[in-house]
Amino acid sequence: MKVKPIYILTLFFAFAYTQAQQQIEIKYSGFLEFKEEDTPGLKVMTRDDSGQIHIVHEGIDMYCDQALLYSNDNFVEAYGNVKMHQGDSINMTSKYVEYSGKTKLAFASGEVVLREPSSTLTTDTLYFDRAKQQSYYKSGGQVVRDSSGTITSRIGRYYMNAKKYQFVKDVELVNPDYTIHTEQLDFYTETGHAFLYGPSTIKTAESKTYCEKGFYNTETKQGYAVKKSRIDYDNRIFEGDSMFFDNNRNFASATNNIKVTDTTNKSIIKGHYAEVYKLKDSVFITKRALAITVQEKDTVYIHADTLMVTGKANKRITRAFKNAKFYKSDMSGKADSIHANHQTGLTELINISKSNSKDAFSTKRQPILWNLGNQMTGDTIQVKSNPKTEKMDSLLVFDNAFIISKDTLNAGYNQITGKTLTGLFDENNKLKQVDIDKNAESIYFARNDKNELVGIDKSKSGSISIFFHNGTVEELRKIRQVDGKTYPESQFPKNVRKLRGFDWREEERPKSVEDLFSDDPPLNLPIIKGLEDYVPQEDFFDDEMLNRMEAADKSEIKRSENTVTNPKASRNLPERKKKEIRGKKETIQVKERKPQILQPKQE
């Protein structure tokens, strides 16, 4: 029998099982065969030279080379160069599609490509639920968005109304400038906004960012992280509770519980707000800021209101501003500012040029240094050490130099003052010699070998040299003495036993790391709201969808008088979902129906 081409054929099949439903409509078919003897209501259509078969249903247009229409079940199978369009929002192509007018669920397989205005999805098999306007794949897929890159995952779901993808398992976003790996990714195609959940990394040529909850704008290359946040640069590790990062500028800032580790110089900076500029090799940190330099035999701690670390890895400089302090086991100090050059080993304690009398620190900002029992002050103090051996070499005090130490039996204070001070250290980082030049004055409690007080020496001279042994004064030499005399203790009044400018500040001396924070104001850390926790995907095959399929299956089974074992509406569901629909506890082994291309009969 020869079948004539049918150029405009519209078939309507009245059908209803619980409510009125619109039938699948054939707008165009080339060749048509009725296969009622095989399956009641089956029509086989094949394209001709004029064009593909055109199928429509409630706002969707489908084109294919061959189609099987089961009119009694409102169900169609489409083969060969299948195209499915939904307005201007969705365009899908594949080798095969089956679609139920009852459930509004489409199943596509074979080189599936789903395009929407901002992205393109490719996968092997795809479910498209028109009722919920969602599509879903579970066997691997890829989404391309030109300005963002290519996203691959094991499982993916697209919410068409929200223009949102949810990717799960082995998620990777590849862009020429960066690569993202994560376990769960929510991605918005219109904005390029990506939300990362679970262990996640963002790698660029300059950095590696890790978090377990974060956000990344693929357009601006900016983002933030709020759980186990960490950025690795070439030689710095940056950690904090909440982090913002800009990969265009290689800049990052963090809030609360900050830790910056310098892997080259074995140093750590801590605080509660920090900024890192990778290209400028700088770190700014405040709120309980603390710099820790780990040495082989000792560790140096520097604390201030604000810390800045600048310079290349081999030329680091640490600057501490406002109420700066440092502590190590054999030395501590305090100043308005402290500068430490890690390459040269020079540490400077610097005074401010002007002080505000209303400022709590204004009267106590003159730099001060403690070494064992000695207190040294001056307008500026420099300590020179050997970066390789980690041993202190020398000490310089510029202008208004003053050194004080308690007498061994607490009879008073040994004091020397002058314009400048130069000190030398021994192998154990203890002062062994101090020279004070220009207008030197001294008060010295002289004792004999039995540690008995011989007298109290008070003198003026051009310069004074002091020699120490185990931290105590062993000898005092006066050079170009102008005036001086040793008095018996009884003849030396107590009210003249202190030189002008005497200020014993032992109560300020840090004797532990905790003491560095003793006069800090109370710290109130901000509450970080951050991102909402990850909400796991609801099952794509939810109860509402299963109810639709169950109703369609029941209708088909009832119409066929229970001869159908693999109803069309649910046959491509996962087996666990089929079992739910059929209400059986055991797994039903059903052979998958393999669609076959049917050729029209020719005479």
Side-chain angles (χ1 to χ4, degrees):
M1 166 182 167
K2 186 174 181 179
V3 182
K4 295 182 179 180
I6 302 174
Y7 293 100
I8 301 177
L9 174 64
T10 304
L11 302 176
F12 292 97
F13 303 92
F15 175 80
Y17 56 90
T18 56
Q19 59 181 357
Q21 292 187 342
Q22 186 172 328
Q23 290 296 111
I24 294 173
E25 182 181 345
I26 308 301
K27 283 290 187 181
Y28 176 82
S29 173
F31 298 93
L32 170 66
E33 281 190 281
F34 293 83
K35 290 285 187 176
E36 296 285 344
E37 68 279 9
D38 295 336
T39 302
L42 174 61
K43 282 81 178 170
V44 179
M45 291 159 283
T46 306
R47 67 163 295 167
D48 60 11
D49 294 338
S50 298
Q52 289 186 298
I53 301 162
H54 183 191
I55 305 167
V56 298
H57 184 257
E58 296 185 7
I60 195 166
D61 290 87
M62 188 187 306
Y63 301 86
C64 61
D65 293 339
Q66 190 172 47
L68 277 64
L69 177 64
Y70 299 88
S71 55
N72 292 351
D73 300 309
N74 205 14
F75 189 90
V76 65
E77 297 175 5
Y79 303 87
N81 300 311
V82 183
K83 304 178 187 69
M84 181 179 286
H85 305 301
Q86 180 178 280
D88 297 328
S89 60
I90 295 295
N91 289 282
M92 185 174 73
T93 60
S94 63
K95 290 183 176 180
Y96 171 75
V97 169
E98 60 181 50
Y99 174 72
S100 170
K102 295 180 180 180
T103 65
K104 295 186 180 180
L105 179 69
F107 171 79
S109 64
E111 300 178 7
V112 182
V113 179
L114 177 70
R115 294 182 177 86
E116 55 96 19
S118 302
S119 66
T120 300
L121 162 68
T122 58
T123 183
D124 287 335
T125 58
L126 184 74
Y127 297 90
F128 176 17
D129 185 354
R130 297 192 60 222
K132 294 186 294 186
Q133 287 296 290
Q134 295 178 17
S135 59
Y136 171 79
Y137 65 83
K138 61 185 179 67
S139 57
Q142 173 182 284
V143 173
V144 177
R145 183 178 186 270
D146 291 341
S147 57
S148 299
T150 301
I151 307 172
T152 57
S153 69
R154 186 66 183 166
I155 298 171
R157 190 161 170 182
Y158 180 54
Y159 299 82
M160 296 169 189
N161 293 332
K163 307 293 185 184
K164 169 188 172 182
Y165 277 98
Q166 275 194 326
F167 301 101
V168 180
K169 292 185 180 180
D170 304 325
V171 185
E172 181 182 62
L173 192 162
V174 178
N175 179 283
D177 298 325
Y178 58 87
T179 302
I180 297 176
H181 290 93
T182 184
E183 285 300 304
Q184 294 97 25
L185 175 67
D186 286 3
F187 184 80
Y188 291 83
T189 61
E190 286 189 322
T191 61
H193 291 178
F195 293 84
L196 291 66
Y197 302 94
S200 308
T201 59
I202 303 172
K203 293 182 181 180
T204 71
E206 303 290 341
S207 66
K208 176 183 175 182
T209 302
Y210 174 88
C211 68
E212 294 185 6
K213 183 163 50 172
F215 163 81
Y216 192 65
N217 186 328
T218 61
E219 294 283 348
T220 64
K221 298 180 177 61
Q222 296 175 331
Y224 52 87
V226 293
K227 184 177 181 182
K228 296 185 179 180
S229 311
R230 168 175 168 162
I231 300 178
D232 289 33
Y233 294 112
D234 292 338
N235 45 51
R236 280 195 176 108
I237 300 172
F238 188 29
E239 301 170 89
D241 287 355
S242 176
M243 301 182 72
F244 166 81
F245 50 93
D246 184 342
N247 286 337
N248 289 310
R249 297 187 294 150
N250 283 300
F251 166 81
S253 64
T255 303
N256 293 358
N257 300 307
I258 313 302
K259 181 179 179 183
V260 183
T261 303
D262 185 328
T263 57
T264 300
N265 294 291
K266 299 179 182 179
S267 63
I268 297 171
I269 307 174
K270 294 182 177 182
H272 294 287
Y273 178 77
E275 296 178 356
V276 174
Y277 292 85
K278 196 268 181 185
L279 295 179
K280 297 180 180 180
D281 285 294
S282 69
V283 177
F284 164 91
I285 194 163
T286 187
K287 294 187 178 180
R288 298 288 176 95
L290 179 67
I292 305 168
T293 301
V294 179
Q295 298 179 343
E296 185 176 347
K297 296 181 179 179
D298 206 350
T299 300
V300 181
Y301 301 87
I302 299 177
H303 166 62
D305 176 76
T306 301
L307 290 174
M308 286 190 67
V309 181
T310 58
K312 300 291 184 181
N314 60 344
K315 296 181 180 180
R316 292 274 194 257
I317 295 176
T318 298
R319 296 177 173 88
F321 302 101
K322 191 175 181 182
N323 197 27
K325 306 175 188 177
F326 82 91
Y327 167 80
K328 61 195 298 284
S329 62
D330 50 21
M331 182 176 283
S332 58
K334 181 179 179 181
D336 175 68
S337 300
I338 297 176
H339 292 192
N341 188 316
H342 300 279
Q343 182 187 29
T344 64
L346 179 64
T347 299
E348 296 181 275
L349 284 72
I350 303 171
N351 197 5
I352 58 174
S353 58
K354 296 180 181 180
S355 62
N356 183 350
S357 61
K358 296 181 180 180
D359 194 310
F361 302 115
S362 63
T363 60
K364 295 186 177 181
R365 281 191 179 173
Q366 188 181 44
I368 183 168
L369 192 70
W370 293 274
N371 175 247
L372 300 178
N374 302 298
Q375 172 187 297
M376 290 154 281
T377 57
D379 289 353
T380 301
I381 299 176
Q382 291 184 350
V383 180
K384 186 74 167 61
S385 61
N386 188 321
K388 294 183 179 179
T389 63
E390 300 177 358
K391 293 183 180 297
M392 286 186 288
D393 177 70
S394 58
L395 166 71
L396 293 173
V397 179
F398 299 95
D399 296 326
N400 299 310
F402 208 128
I403 182 170
I404 306 172
S405 64
K406 273 189 176 183
D407 172 60
T408 54
L409 295 181
N410 294 323
Y413 296 92
N414 296 314
Q415 307 156 57
I416 305 174
T417 183
K419 185 172 178 60
T420 62
L421 179 153
T422 302
L424 299 175
F425 293 91
D426 63 17
E427 290 295 314
N428 298 314
N429 290 339
K430 297 178 181 179
L431 279 172
K432 65 178 181 180
Q433 181 179 341
V434 169
D435 298 318
I436 292 187
D437 294 324
K438 297 182 181 179
N439 303 321
E441 295 183 63
S442 66
I443 293 178
Y444 171 59
F445 287 76
R447 294 184 179 274
N448 59 22
D449 294 341
K450 296 180 181 180
N451 211 21
E452 296 171 339
L453 183 62
V454 176
I456 303 174
D457 181 273
K458 182 176 183 181
S459 61
K460 295 181 180 180
S461 58
S463 62
I464 297 175
S465 294
I466 312 164
F467 299 89
F468 296 85
H469 178 69
N470 290 328
T472 60
V473 178
E474 184 178 52
E475 183 183 353
L476 188 146
R477 296 178 186 174
K478 304 165 191 174
I479 303 171
R480 299 187 303 278
Q481 183 168 331
V482 176
D483 183 24
K485 182 179 179 180
T486 300
Y487 300 87
E489 183 181 16
S490 59
Q491 296 180 19
F492 195 73
K494 291 186 177 182
N495 60 357
V496 296
R497 293 186 182 184
K498 295 178 181 178
L499 296 173
R500 185 178 58 180
F502 177 92
D503 186 12
W504 182 248
R505 295 162 59 182
E506 183 67 17
E507 75 281 358
E508 299 178 45
R509 181 176 185 173
K511 297 179 181 178
S512 66
V513 179
E514 290 74 20
D515 285 349
L516 297 175
F517 304 93
S518 60
D519 53 5
D520 279 19
L523 180 66
N524 296 314
L525 296 181
I527 298 174
I528 300 171
K529 182 180 180 181
L531 298 169
E532 299 293 336
D533 289 337
Y534 177 70
V535 178
Q537 287 187 7
E538 295 179 359
D539 199 334
F540 180 79
F541 307 101
D542 60 9
D543 290 342
E544 188 274 332
M545 180 191 289
L546 296 183
N547 288 338
R548 282 184 268 148
M549 292 190 175
E550 183 181 12
D553 284 356
K554 285 182 177 180
S555 175
E556 182 179 355
I557 292 171
K558 181 178 180 181
R559 183 181 49 75
S560 64
E561 298 180 352
N562 295 319
T563 60
V564 174
T565 60
N566 190 20
K568 288 184 280 295
S570 63
R571 68 186 179 194
N572 279 302
L573 286 182
E575 288 297 322
R576 61 185 178 86
K577 291 300 177 181
K578 290 183 182 180
K579 189 169 63 173
E580 286 185 34
I581 289 180
R582 298 174 188 180
K584 296 182 180 179
K585 295 182 179 180
E586 71 277 9
T587 302
I588 301 176
Q589 301 295 331
V590 179
K591 285 187 176 182
E592 294 289 3
R593 182 177 183 273
K594 295 182 179 180
Q596 297 180 352
I597 302 296
L598 302 179
Q599 299 296 331
K601 292 182 180 180
Q602 301 286 338
E603 280 191 354

